[in-house]
Amino acid sequence: MTDTTVVKVSSAYSPTGDQGEVCLASGKRVSMRLWRDEEPTQDKPSHKHEYEVVGYVISGRAELEIAGQTVRLEPGDSWVVPAGSEHTYRILETFTAVEATAPPAQVHGREQS
């Protein structure tokens, strides 16, 4: 039997995660989260996690540092951070973006890795 579950999530009523992200729809293999109006920052501590991340910039600007590269992210850009990749980022201008993580970042404490 196939899974025919349909989930609708309104960001206005979504819970907020430990890092300020808005938790959006989440399935068994992928989840979405919204980073809304993140203020400019210096480099976040370099980190890696066991899940893959893809994202899309809605507004603002940031720089992603990964594998010796600096990638400038602007509205309309998308990115991928492969699972296990050491990376950091800095927000240059108030930033709003949507990310999807596979498998879901919040399951089984993955977000703490």
Side-chain angles (χ1 to χ4, degrees):
M1 176 184 243
T2 60
D3 186 354
T4 58
T5 305
V6 175
V7 176
K8 175 186 172 183
V9 176
S10 172
S11 66
Y13 304 104
S14 294
T16 302
D18 293 341
Q19 299 175 48
E21 73 278 19
V22 177
C23 300
L24 301 174
S26 183
K28 294 177 184 175
R29 295 184 184 95
V30 67
S31 66
M32 290 178 61
R33 55 192 179 182
L34 172 66
W35 301 92
R36 183 183 292 146
D37 298 326
E38 293 288 308
E39 292 297 321
T41 63
Q42 294 300 314
D43 292 358
K44 297 284 189 173
S46 186
H47 63 284
K48 59 184 175 179
H49 30 68
E50 65 183 75
Y51 51 86
E52 182 175 53
V53 178
V54 297
Y56 179 81
V57 180
I58 297 169
S59 64
R61 288 173 175 63
E63 288 181 338
L64 170 64
E65 289 193 20
I66 184 170
Q69 302 175 68
T70 299
V71 179
R72 188 169 175 107
L73 300 171
E74 298 181 342
D77 291 344
S78 58
W79 72 90
V80 175
V81 175
S85 297
E86 189 85 21
H87 64 284
T88 186
Y89 63 93
R90 75 184 60 80
I91 298 172
L92 305 174
E93 180 182 297
T94 303
F95 192 70
T96 297
V98 174
E99 288 185 334
T101 63
Q106 74 277 17
V107 176
H108 304 299
R110 285 188 186 101
E111 192 57 36
Q112 282 77 44
S113 49

